[in-house]
Amino acid sequence: MSKTVLITGASKGFGKAWAEAFLAKGYNVAATARNVETLHDLKEKYGDSVLALPLDVDKREESLAVVQKVHQHFGSIDILINNAGYALTGAVEETNEQEARAQFETNFFGTLWLTQAVLPIMRDQKSGHIIQVSSILGLATLPTMGLYNASKFAVEGLSETLATEVKGFGINVTLVEPNGYASNIWHTGINTQSNPVYDNVKKAFSESETSFGSVEATAPALIKLAETENPPLRLLLGKVALPFVKQNYEQRLKVWEEWNDVSVEAHG
C-alpha cells in the first residue's frame, strides 16, 4: 500500500519539486495551495495518486478540515511536510503590526495548525513523520530579515519540543534547514516600507556574496529523509548551510565561555 504525503505550499518552489518527486516514487500525495489551479499539471500527470486541495494555512478550521479530507480519501497520512510560508523583508523598526502578525500567521501558526491536526491520526497509526520546513535563518540570523528570522526561530522551538513529546507514539519530527535557494519565496515575499536610515545596512546585505542552490537538487534529499528509519531532528540543505551555522555557533560558544564566570556568579 502506497504511503501518503501531505505537502502544504505545493504550488511552486520546494513544495512543487517535492510533490513531483514523491509522486514519481509511487507515493500518494495530497498537495495544497491557495490557488489549486497551480496543481493541475500534477493531477494530469499522476491522476488518482494526487489529491489537490485549496488551503490557506492561516485559517485553523480550514487546515483541520483539509487534514480530515486527506485522511478520508487516502486512509492514512504518513508524512506531513509543512512547507507553506513566505519571507517578509525589511528592518525590524520598519515592520508594522499587520506585517509582523501576518508573517507569524503563515510561517508559525500555519505550521502549528497542520501539526496539531495530523497528530491524532499519526498516534492512532503509531507512526508518522512531520517535516517542518524551517531555514538556516531559524538557527542564525541575517539583517533585514528580522521577522522572518523570528518566525523560523519559533518553528524551531516548537518542533524540537514536539519531537520529545511524540517520539513515544512512533512519530518522528525533522526540521529541514535550507540555505538560500533560487526559489519564488524571494520574489513573492513582502517588503516593509523603507526607512532611509537603514539604506546602508540593506546595501551591504544586498552586495554580500551569495550562493543560491537549485530547488530541484533538494528532491533526492527529501526522499532519503522520508525513507530513513531513524531520521535526524535537523537536516541542513545546501553547501552554505553548515559553514554558516557552524561559524555562528562557534562565536556564540566563545562569548558564553568568556562570560561564564559572571553566569555562574549569578546562580547564587
Side-chain angles (χ1 to χ4, degrees):
M1 183 176 176
S2 296
K3 288 189 174 183
T4 297
V5 185
L6 169 55
I7 305 177
T8 66
S11 62
K12 53 188 179 292
F14 289 131
K16 191 68 170 282
W18 298 343
E20 181 126 32
F22 278 104
L23 287 163
K25 286 280 289 184
Y27 288 75
N28 293 319
V29 172
T32 77
R34 293 195 183 205
N35 178 7
V36 77
E37 291 181 7
T38 59
L39 305 172
H40 183 66
D41 57 332
L42 291 180
K43 187 67 180 174
E44 272 199 336
K45 186 174 180 180
Y46 293 99
D48 292 341
S49 294
V50 181
L51 178 63
L53 294 170
L55 174 61
D56 178 353
V57 298
D58 294 6
K59 298 176 180 177
R60 184 174 184 271
E61 293 305 317
E62 195 173 310
S63 297
L64 296 175
V66 161
V67 167
Q68 291 306 312
K69 286 179 184 177
V70 174
H71 188 231
Q72 289 166 9
H73 184 83
F74 285 122
S76 69
I77 300 177
D78 302 286
I79 301 166
L80 166 66
I81 303 179
N82 272 315
N83 170 66
Y86 72 94
L88 176 68
T89 303
V92 170
E93 186 183 352
E94 294 172 343
T95 308
N96 65 38
E97 181 181 355
Q98 182 180 359
E99 291 166 338
R101 291 187 182 278
Q103 179 75 112
F104 269 78
E105 285 291 347
T106 299
N107 290 10
F108 176 74
F109 284 105
T111 295
L112 175 60
W113 305 147
L114 268 295
T115 299
Q116 289 180 329
V118 300
L119 282 172
I121 294 168
M122 290 182 172
R123 276 193 288 105
D124 286 345
Q125 295 171 173
K126 297 182 173 58
S127 66
H129 192 178
I130 297 173
I131 298 174
Q132 316 283 45
V133 181
S134 183
S135 167
I136 59 169
L137 300 186
L139 298 170
T141 66
L142 287 174
T144 76
M145 300 295 297
L147 270 294
Y148 180 78
N149 294 332
S151 71
K152 293 302 185 180
F153 266 71
V155 169
E156 294 281 329
L158 173 78
S159 303
E160 186 171 309
T161 304
L162 176 69
T164 63
E165 295 173 344
V166 301
K167 189 69 174 177
F169 303 129
I171 302 170
N172 293 307
V173 178
T174 299
L175 286 148
V176 170
E177 323 271 11
N179 56 214
Y181 277 82
S183 72
N184 298 75
I185 192 171
W186 309 116
H187 305 297
T188 58
I190 296 173
N191 295 316
T192 59
Q193 186 171 348
S194 184
N195 183 332
V197 301
Y198 292 102
D199 285 351
N200 287 339
V201 175
K202 293 177 183 178
K203 185 173 184 292
F205 177 50
S206 67
E207 292 176 351
S208 59
E209 187 177 343
T210 306
S211 175
F212 287 102
S214 166
V215 169
E216 290 71 22
T218 64
L222 262 289
I223 297 294
K224 184 172 184 178
L225 175 65
E227 295 184 345
T228 190
E229 189 174 335
N230 187 27
L233 175 60
R234 287 181 172 85
L235 174 64
L236 305 182
L237 294 182
K239 67 180 182 181
V240 178
L242 182 58
F244 176 76
V245 173
K246 186 176 179 181
Q247 180 185 35
N248 183 279
Y249 274 71
E250 285 173 346
Q251 290 173 347
R252 291 187 193 188
L253 284 168
K254 182 174 182 292
V255 173
W256 292 337
E257 287 168 353
E258 288 172 355
W259 282 78
N260 189 50
D261 288 347
V262 177
S263 302
V264 171
E265 187 178 350
H267 186 81

